[in-house]
Amino acid sequence: QVQLVESGGGCVQPGGSLRLSCAASGSIFSINAMGWYRQAPGKQRELVATISNGGRLNYADSVKGRFSISRDNAKNTVYLQMNSLKPEDTAVYYCNLDIKALGYVAMDYWGKGTLVTVSS
């Protein structure tokens, strides 16, 4: 009943920028927190950034000052602006939204992931 579509991944040189988007659609009543996570090869999935429905921000220490999360509630979309990218940022990035669908309790929804590769 709810679908998440991610876009914006790709290959970029160190120091470059990318912008990820994640749009939710379907029978959505409300969206609470939105966030981005990433999983590098051979590593566990880790939190990158979150934004509450009140606009409170939270970032992993490794991305502070380089990444910026934002949301457009009218479009049910969350963004991740990534600047000054480093090779260690290479990972599959997943969006995570806490959504209350019509007729259901709120639950977490995950995107399918988008690959970000930072390499020269």
Side-chain angles (χ1 to χ4, degrees):
Q1 68 276 22
V2 173
Q3 298 82 38
L4 302 185
V5 177
E6 297 163 335
S7 61
C11 187
V12 65
Q13 292 186 340
S17 298
L18 284 173
R19 188 191 195 207
L20 306 183
S21 300
C22 174
S25 62
S27 303
I28 297 170
F29 178 76
S30 64
I31 302 178
N32 300 314
M34 295 178 167
W36 289 94
Y37 292 72
R38 67 186 182 186
Q39 187 166 17
K43 295 188 177 181
Q44 291 187 330
R45 190 173 299 188
E46 63 177 3
L47 180 146
V48 176
T50 61
I51 181 169
S52 72
N53 57 0
R56 184 173 61 189
L57 307 176
N58 181 46
Y59 293 98
D61 288 343
S62 60
V63 307
K64 283 181 180 177
R66 300 188 298 121
F67 290 11
S68 177
I69 189 171
S70 60
R71 61 191 288 168
D72 184 333
N73 292 329
K75 296 181 179 179
N76 292 332
T77 299
V78 60
Y79 304 96
L80 185 68
Q81 178 66 44
M82 304 184 293
N83 299 327
S84 302
L85 282 160
K86 304 175 181 180
E88 51 263 43
D89 295 317
T90 295
V92 178
Y93 285 70
Y94 299 89
C95 61
N96 173 264
L97 278 63
D98 181 18
I99 298 174
K100 186 182 185 316
L102 293 172
Y104 293 84
V105 298
M107 58 184 291
D108 277 348
Y109 289 84
W110 289 90
K112 294 183 178 180
T114 184
L115 178 62
V116 172
T117 302
V118 185
S119 175
S120 56

